[in-house]
Amino acid sequence: MKEKSKVGYLIMNTGTPDETSIPALRRYLKQFLSDPDMLDYPSQRLKEYSKGIDVLRNGLASVLRWIIVNLIVLPFRPARIQAKYQGIWTKEGSPLLVNTIKFAEKLKKYTNENVEIGMRYGNPSIEKAIKKFKENEIDKLFLVSMFPQYAEATSGSTFTEVERVLKKEGYSPNLIKINHYYNEEFYLKSLKKSIIESEEYKNSEYLLFSFHGLPVRQLKKADISESHCQKVDNCCEKDSENNEFCYKSHCVKTVMKLSESLDPDKPFKICYQSTFGPEQWIQPNIIDVLEDLAKQGIKKVSVACPSFTADCLETLEEIAVENHEDFEKNGGEYVKLIPSLNDNEDWVRSFAEYLSEKEEEYARK
């Protein structure tokens, strides 16, 4: 009789500083922005498909990244963002980490005790989690990305780090990768419920779906064929092997599905946030959208952030504080954040059921 596998679950997200001190913020930013998948300008092709001029661009990206991180960001940005982190920090610590811990603890009720958190940057690290799985002799490991929409800068980078650590540790469990679920019923149902049942949505005149931004260059980089992205009409709405891992396509299709269940009399729009640097990013930017809504006389706006499954700086500070204040200055009454899924019980339970289905699929192979 075949011995039953010992299953583990690695819950992965971006990460967070350990505290709000300048040294802690500097450590976090250095690790975060030194990642070649995160800050990769002017790279235009994935490393494994690069040749000729693309190899030179990747080399230039390494040099520019070092200059930007060490000479521009680290000396000045920690002091500029410290108050933002202090404004959202709780007695328990970082909201992102606190929400992720609560999610992981609830997930244990539906799976087993072998659930660990691994942040791509900061602590608790992916490396620490994998070492614990190795010590516990886990032989089947779920790699659970908490990014519903795939992007090389988020999910891709996270899986690359997992591969690096597994190789370093000489550890080879059977892997089940959950690298996106933007179109899965369990995610859409949980997200839809969180929106339509929220007071923020019910009391608003207009709904925005705000996704984390991404440079347009990285969208094109994900199209290996170089024949689909920005070249085919409504390229993000179409199903194609060339946009299978296109972040914007995942965002658009998430909202296309959700819109089927929303109040038809309440208008909505997709937008993007958290831009960084001078290059072109996905449009429209939430700042511009809110400015236009204020000019149209819209007073009450609710914002859902489907790419963030746990509330963090980008939702609690950027949306709920910065965007709200700017909207007020332009004549609006308020911008209100619809809370992320966080550790909502139905969300955790349905996620666990999805993981169970994936394990059954894996067993049938």
PDB file of all heavy atoms in Angstrom, residues 327-350:
ATOM      1  N   PHE A 327      -9.434  63.568  -3.900  1.00  0.00           N
ATOM      2  CA  PHE A 327     -10.801  63.645  -4.423  1.00  0.00           C
ATOM      3  C   PHE A 327     -11.583  64.763  -3.725  1.00  0.00           C
ATOM      4  O   PHE A 327     -12.328  65.521  -4.366  1.00  0.00           O
ATOM      5  CB  PHE A 327     -11.488  62.301  -4.227  1.00  0.00           C
ATOM      6  CG  PHE A 327     -12.825  62.177  -4.910  1.00  0.00           C
ATOM      7  CD1 PHE A 327     -12.941  62.321  -6.276  1.00  0.00           C
ATOM      8  CD2 PHE A 327     -13.967  61.888  -4.171  1.00  0.00           C
ATOM      9  CE1 PHE A 327     -14.173  62.192  -6.914  1.00  0.00           C
ATOM     10  CE2 PHE A 327     -15.202  61.752  -4.794  1.00  0.00           C
ATOM     11  CZ  PHE A 327     -15.308  61.901  -6.164  1.00  0.00           C
ATOM     12  N   GLU A 328     -11.398  64.877  -2.422  1.00  0.00           N
ATOM     13  CA  GLU A 328     -12.040  65.954  -1.662  1.00  0.00           C
ATOM     14  C   GLU A 328     -11.607  67.327  -2.164  1.00  0.00           C
ATOM     15  O   GLU A 328     -12.427  68.238  -2.328  1.00  0.00           O
ATOM     16  CB  GLU A 328     -11.680  65.832  -0.175  1.00  0.00           C
ATOM     17  CG  GLU A 328     -12.624  64.972   0.630  1.00  0.00           C
ATOM     18  CD  GLU A 328     -12.369  65.109   2.116  1.00  0.00           C
ATOM     19  OE1 GLU A 328     -11.191  65.254   2.521  1.00  0.00           O
ATOM     20  OE2 GLU A 328     -13.346  65.098   2.886  1.00  0.00           O
ATOM     21  N   LYS A 329     -10.323  67.481  -2.411  1.00  0.00           N
ATOM     22  CA  LYS A 329      -9.792  68.761  -2.898  1.00  0.00           C
ATOM     23  C   LYS A 329     -10.381  69.150  -4.249  1.00  0.00           C
ATOM     24  O   LYS A 329     -10.501  70.327  -4.571  1.00  0.00           O
ATOM     25  CB  LYS A 329      -8.260  68.684  -2.995  1.00  0.00           C
ATOM     26  CG  LYS A 329      -7.549  68.621  -1.660  1.00  0.00           C
ATOM     27  CD  LYS A 329      -6.055  68.411  -1.833  1.00  0.00           C
ATOM     28  CE  LYS A 329      -5.351  68.247  -0.496  1.00  0.00           C
ATOM     29  NZ  LYS A 329      -3.907  67.948  -0.669  1.00  0.00           N
ATOM     30  N   ASN A 330     -10.748  68.127  -5.032  1.00  0.00           N
ATOM     31  CA  ASN A 330     -11.304  68.383  -6.362  1.00  0.00           C
ATOM     32  C   ASN A 330     -12.824  68.511  -6.356  1.00  0.00           C
ATOM     33  O   ASN A 330     -13.446  68.596  -7.419  1.00  0.00           O
ATOM     34  CB  ASN A 330     -10.895  67.257  -7.321  1.00  0.00           C
ATOM     35  CG  ASN A 330      -9.425  67.316  -7.687  1.00  0.00           C
ATOM     36  OD1 ASN A 330      -8.856  68.402  -7.857  1.00  0.00           O
ATOM     37  ND2 ASN A 330      -8.782  66.165  -7.802  1.00  0.00           N
ATOM     38  N   GLY A 331     -13.424  68.504  -5.151  1.00  0.00           N
ATOM     39  CA  GLY A 331     -14.859  68.733  -5.052  1.00  0.00           C
ATOM     40  C   GLY A 331     -15.692  67.512  -4.730  1.00  0.00           C
ATOM     41  O   GLY A 331     -16.920  67.612  -4.579  1.00  0.00           O
ATOM     42  N   GLY A 332     -15.057  66.348  -4.627  1.00  0.00           N
ATOM     43  CA  GLY A 332     -15.800  65.146  -4.280  1.00  0.00           C
ATOM     44  C   GLY A 332     -16.067  65.069  -2.791  1.00  0.00           C
ATOM     45  O   GLY A 332     -15.463  65.801  -2.000  1.00  0.00           O
ATOM     46  N   GLU A 333     -16.973  64.200  -2.382  1.00  0.00           N
ATOM     47  CA  GLU A 333     -17.284  64.043  -0.958  1.00  0.00           C
ATOM     48  C   GLU A 333     -16.387  63.000  -0.314  1.00  0.00           C
ATOM     49  O   GLU A 333     -15.802  63.235   0.735  1.00  0.00           O
ATOM     50  CB  GLU A 333     -18.749  63.651  -0.777  1.00  0.00           C
ATOM     51  CG  GLU A 333     -19.177  63.597   0.673  1.00  0.00           C
ATOM     52  CD  GLU A 333     -20.665  63.336   0.829  1.00  0.00           C
ATOM     53  OE1 GLU A 333     -21.439  63.743  -0.063  1.00  0.00           O
ATOM     54  OE2 GLU A 333     -21.056  62.718   1.842  1.00  0.00           O
ATOM     55  N   TYR A 334     -16.279  61.820  -0.944  1.00  0.00           N
ATOM     56  CA  TYR A 334     -15.383  60.811  -0.371  1.00  0.00           C
ATOM     57  C   TYR A 334     -15.018  59.721  -1.384  1.00  0.00           C
ATOM     58  O   TYR A 334     -15.731  59.458  -2.348  1.00  0.00           O
ATOM     59  CB  TYR A 334     -15.978  60.179   0.884  1.00  0.00           C
ATOM     60  CG  TYR A 334     -17.238  59.362   0.719  1.00  0.00           C
ATOM     61  CD1 TYR A 334     -17.242  58.142   0.019  1.00  0.00           C
ATOM     62  CD2 TYR A 334     -18.453  59.768   1.289  1.00  0.00           C
ATOM     63  CE1 TYR A 334     -18.378  57.376  -0.108  1.00  0.00           C
ATOM     64  CE2 TYR A 334     -19.605  59.007   1.160  1.00  0.00           C
ATOM     65  CZ  TYR A 334     -19.560  57.811   0.456  1.00  0.00           C
ATOM     66  OH  TYR A 334     -20.701  57.061   0.329  1.00  0.00           O
ATOM     67  N   VAL A 335     -13.887  59.101  -1.095  1.00  0.00           N
ATOM     68  CA  VAL A 335     -13.477  57.836  -1.702  1.00  0.00           C
ATOM     69  C   VAL A 335     -13.403  56.842  -0.553  1.00  0.00           C
ATOM     70  O   VAL A 335     -12.700  57.092   0.434  1.00  0.00           O
ATOM     71  CB  VAL A 335     -12.099  57.941  -2.382  1.00  0.00           C
ATOM     72  CG1 VAL A 335     -11.563  56.550  -2.725  1.00  0.00           C
ATOM     73  CG2 VAL A 335     -12.177  58.795  -3.626  1.00  0.00           C
ATOM     74  N   LYS A 336     -14.135  55.743  -0.648  1.00  0.00           N
ATOM     75  CA  LYS A 336     -14.126  54.751   0.427  1.00  0.00           C
ATOM     76  C   LYS A 336     -13.637  53.403  -0.089  1.00  0.00           C
ATOM     77  O   LYS A 336     -14.093  52.918  -1.135  1.00  0.00           O
ATOM     78  CB  LYS A 336     -15.513  54.613   1.056  1.00  0.00           C
ATOM     79  CG  LYS A 336     -15.890  55.818   1.927  1.00  0.00           C
ATOM     80  CD  LYS A 336     -17.089  55.558   2.807  1.00  0.00           C
ATOM     81  CE  LYS A 336     -17.353  56.737   3.734  1.00  0.00           C
ATOM     82  NZ  LYS A 336     -18.536  56.513   4.590  1.00  0.00           N
ATOM     83  N   LEU A 337     -12.716  52.837   0.655  1.00  0.00           N
ATOM     84  CA  LEU A 337     -12.133  51.544   0.308  1.00  0.00           C
ATOM     85  C   LEU A 337     -13.052  50.407   0.733  1.00  0.00           C
ATOM     86  O   LEU A 337     -13.493  50.348   1.882  1.00  0.00           O
ATOM     87  CB  LEU A 337     -10.783  51.393   1.014  1.00  0.00           C
ATOM     88  CG  LEU A 337     -10.110  50.025   0.931  1.00  0.00           C
ATOM     89  CD1 LEU A 337      -9.609  49.763  -0.493  1.00  0.00           C
ATOM     90  CD2 LEU A 337      -8.968  49.920   1.932  1.00  0.00           C
ATOM     91  N   ILE A 338     -13.333  49.504  -0.195  1.00  0.00           N
ATOM     92  CA  ILE A 338     -14.012  48.257   0.146  1.00  0.00           C
ATOM     93  C   ILE A 338     -12.934  47.302   0.648  1.00  0.00           C
ATOM     94  O   ILE A 338     -11.961  47.036  -0.070  1.00  0.00           O
ATOM     95  CB  ILE A 338     -14.722  47.658  -1.089  1.00  0.00           C
ATOM     96  CG1 ILE A 338     -15.809  48.620  -1.571  1.00  0.00           C
ATOM     97  CG2 ILE A 338     -15.306  46.287  -0.758  1.00  0.00           C
ATOM     98  CD1 ILE A 338     -16.447  48.214  -2.889  1.00  0.00           C
ATOM     99  N   PRO A 339     -13.029  46.825   1.879  1.00  0.00           N
ATOM    100  CA  PRO A 339     -11.955  45.991   2.435  1.00  0.00           C
ATOM    101  C   PRO A 339     -11.616  44.792   1.556  1.00  0.00           C
ATOM    102  O   PRO A 339     -12.483  44.235   0.882  1.00  0.00           O
ATOM    103  CB  PRO A 339     -12.521  45.549   3.787  1.00  0.00           C
ATOM    104  CG  PRO A 339     -13.512  46.605   4.148  1.00  0.00           C
ATOM    105  CD  PRO A 339     -14.122  47.029   2.844  1.00  0.00           C
ATOM    106  N   SER A 340     -10.347  44.413   1.573  1.00  0.00           N
ATOM    107  CA  SER A 340      -9.912  43.215   0.849  1.00  0.00           C
ATOM    108  C   SER A 340     -10.502  41.963   1.508  1.00  0.00           C
ATOM    109  O   SER A 340     -11.109  42.041   2.578  1.00  0.00           O
ATOM    110  CB  SER A 340      -8.383  43.135   0.843  1.00  0.00           C
ATOM    111  OG  SER A 340      -7.821  44.212   0.113  1.00  0.00           O
ATOM    112  N   LEU A 341     -10.297  40.822   0.899  1.00  0.00           N
ATOM    113  CA  LEU A 341     -10.861  39.574   1.415  1.00  0.00           C
ATOM    114  C   LEU A 341     -10.250  39.177   2.753  1.00  0.00           C
ATOM    115  O   LEU A 341     -10.912  38.554   3.589  1.00  0.00           O
ATOM    116  CB  LEU A 341     -10.664  38.459   0.387  1.00  0.00           C
ATOM    117  CG  LEU A 341     -11.461  38.656  -0.910  1.00  0.00           C
ATOM    118  CD1 LEU A 341     -11.019  37.657  -1.977  1.00  0.00           C
ATOM    119  CD2 LEU A 341     -12.955  38.521  -0.652  1.00  0.00           C
ATOM    120  N   ASN A 342      -8.987  39.504   2.952  1.00  0.00           N
ATOM    121  CA  ASN A 342      -8.297  39.276   4.223  1.00  0.00           C
ATOM    122  C   ASN A 342      -8.512  37.851   4.744  1.00  0.00           C
ATOM    123  O   ASN A 342      -8.160  36.883   4.081  1.00  0.00           O
ATOM    124  CB  ASN A 342      -8.728  40.338   5.234  1.00  0.00           C
ATOM    125  CG  ASN A 342      -8.268  41.730   4.819  1.00  0.00           C
ATOM    126  OD1 ASN A 342      -7.138  41.911   4.364  1.00  0.00           O
ATOM    127  ND2 ASN A 342      -9.136  42.725   4.959  1.00  0.00           N
ATOM    128  N   ASP A 343      -9.102  37.709   5.942  1.00  0.00           N
ATOM    129  CA  ASP A 343      -9.327  36.373   6.503  1.00  0.00           C
ATOM    130  C   ASP A 343     -10.817  36.055   6.585  1.00  0.00           C
ATOM    131  O   ASP A 343     -11.260  35.300   7.455  1.00  0.00           O
ATOM    132  CB  ASP A 343      -8.683  36.243   7.889  1.00  0.00           C
ATOM    133  CG  ASP A 343      -9.335  37.161   8.924  1.00  0.00           C
ATOM    134  OD1 ASP A 343      -9.804  38.263   8.536  1.00  0.00           O
ATOM    135  OD2 ASP A 343      -9.386  36.793  10.110  1.00  0.00           O
ATOM    136  N   ASN A 344     -11.589  36.625   5.670  1.00  0.00           N
ATOM    137  CA  ASN A 344     -13.023  36.329   5.613  1.00  0.00           C
ATOM    138  C   ASN A 344     -13.243  34.818   5.605  1.00  0.00           C
ATOM    139  O   ASN A 344     -12.620  34.098   4.828  1.00  0.00           O
ATOM    140  CB  ASN A 344     -13.619  36.973   4.349  1.00  0.00           C
ATOM    141  CG  ASN A 344     -15.078  36.630   4.142  1.00  0.00           C
ATOM    142  OD1 ASN A 344     -15.400  35.557   3.649  1.00  0.00           O
ATOM    143  ND2 ASN A 344     -15.958  37.542   4.521  1.00  0.00           N
ATOM    144  N   GLU A 345     -14.128  34.335   6.448  1.00  0.00           N
ATOM    145  CA  GLU A 345     -14.294  32.888   6.648  1.00  0.00           C
ATOM    146  C   GLU A 345     -14.703  32.160   5.369  1.00  0.00           C
ATOM    147  O   GLU A 345     -14.167  31.089   5.048  1.00  0.00           O
ATOM    148  CB  GLU A 345     -15.328  32.631   7.742  1.00  0.00           C
ATOM    149  CG  GLU A 345     -15.345  31.214   8.262  1.00  0.00           C
ATOM    150  CD  GLU A 345     -14.113  30.863   9.085  1.00  0.00           C
ATOM    151  OE1 GLU A 345     -13.658  31.707   9.886  1.00  0.00           O
ATOM    152  OE2 GLU A 345     -13.599  29.733   8.910  1.00  0.00           O
ATOM    153  N   ASP A 346     -15.653  32.729   4.626  1.00  0.00           N
ATOM    154  CA  ASP A 346     -16.090  32.082   3.384  1.00  0.00           C
ATOM    155  C   ASP A 346     -14.960  32.023   2.368  1.00  0.00           C
ATOM    156  O   ASP A 346     -14.826  31.047   1.616  1.00  0.00           O
ATOM    157  CB  ASP A 346     -17.284  32.834   2.783  1.00  0.00           C
ATOM    158  CG  ASP A 346     -18.562  32.654   3.592  1.00  0.00           C
ATOM    159  OD1 ASP A 346     -18.632  31.667   4.357  1.00  0.00           O
ATOM    160  OD2 ASP A 346     -19.476  33.484   3.465  1.00  0.00           O
ATOM    161  N   TRP A 347     -14.170  33.075   2.334  1.00  0.00           N
ATOM    162  CA  TRP A 347     -13.024  33.140   1.420  1.00  0.00           C
ATOM    163  C   TRP A 347     -11.995  32.061   1.750  1.00  0.00           C
ATOM    164  O   TRP A 347     -11.537  31.335   0.863  1.00  0.00           O
ATOM    165  CB  TRP A 347     -12.423  34.534   1.504  1.00  0.00           C
ATOM    166  CG  TRP A 347     -11.005  34.739   1.091  1.00  0.00           C
ATOM    167  CD1 TRP A 347      -9.986  35.185   1.881  1.00  0.00           C
ATOM    168  CD2 TRP A 347     -10.425  34.569  -0.219  1.00  0.00           C
ATOM    169  NE1 TRP A 347      -8.805  35.305   1.162  1.00  0.00           N
ATOM    170  CE2 TRP A 347      -9.050  34.925  -0.133  1.00  0.00           C
ATOM    171  CE3 TRP A 347     -10.914  34.144  -1.440  1.00  0.00           C
ATOM    172  CZ2 TRP A 347      -8.179  34.869  -1.207  1.00  0.00           C
ATOM    173  CZ3 TRP A 347     -10.061  34.088  -2.530  1.00  0.00           C
ATOM    174  CH2 TRP A 347      -8.703  34.447  -2.412  1.00  0.00           C
ATOM    175  N   VAL A 348     -11.664  31.927   3.023  1.00  0.00           N
ATOM    176  CA  VAL A 348     -10.681  30.930   3.441  1.00  0.00           C
ATOM    177  C   VAL A 348     -11.193  29.526   3.161  1.00  0.00           C
ATOM    178  O   VAL A 348     -10.474  28.668   2.626  1.00  0.00           O
ATOM    179  CB  VAL A 348     -10.330  31.086   4.934  1.00  0.00           C
ATOM    180  CG1 VAL A 348      -9.289  30.043   5.335  1.00  0.00           C
ATOM    181  CG2 VAL A 348      -9.814  32.494   5.235  1.00  0.00           C
ATOM    182  N   ARG A 349     -12.452  29.279   3.508  1.00  0.00           N
ATOM    183  CA  ARG A 349     -13.032  27.947   3.301  1.00  0.00           C
ATOM    184  C   ARG A 349     -13.061  27.590   1.815  1.00  0.00           C
ATOM    185  O   ARG A 349     -12.672  26.475   1.424  1.00  0.00           O
ATOM    186  CB  ARG A 349     -14.456  27.906   3.874  1.00  0.00           C
ATOM    187  CG  ARG A 349     -15.171  26.592   3.634  1.00  0.00           C
ATOM    188  CD  ARG A 349     -16.623  26.649   4.089  1.00  0.00           C
ATOM    189  NE  ARG A 349     -17.307  27.851   3.645  1.00  0.00           N
ATOM    190  CZ  ARG A 349     -17.719  28.056   2.389  1.00  0.00           C
ATOM    191  NH1 ARG A 349     -17.512  27.122   1.476  1.00  0.00           N
ATOM    192  NH2 ARG A 349     -18.330  29.171   2.077  1.00  0.00           N
ATOM    193  N   SER A 350     -13.498  28.521   0.981  1.00  0.00           N
ATOM    194  CA  SER A 350     -13.589  28.226  -0.453  1.00  0.00           C
ATOM    195  C   SER A 350     -12.206  28.065  -1.071  1.00  0.00           C
ATOM    196  O   SER A 350     -12.024  27.267  -1.997  1.00  0.00           O
ATOM    197  CB  SER A 350     -14.382  29.320  -1.180  1.00  0.00           C
ATOM    198  OG  SER A 350     -13.738  30.580  -1.090  1.00  0.00           O
TER     199      SER A 350
END
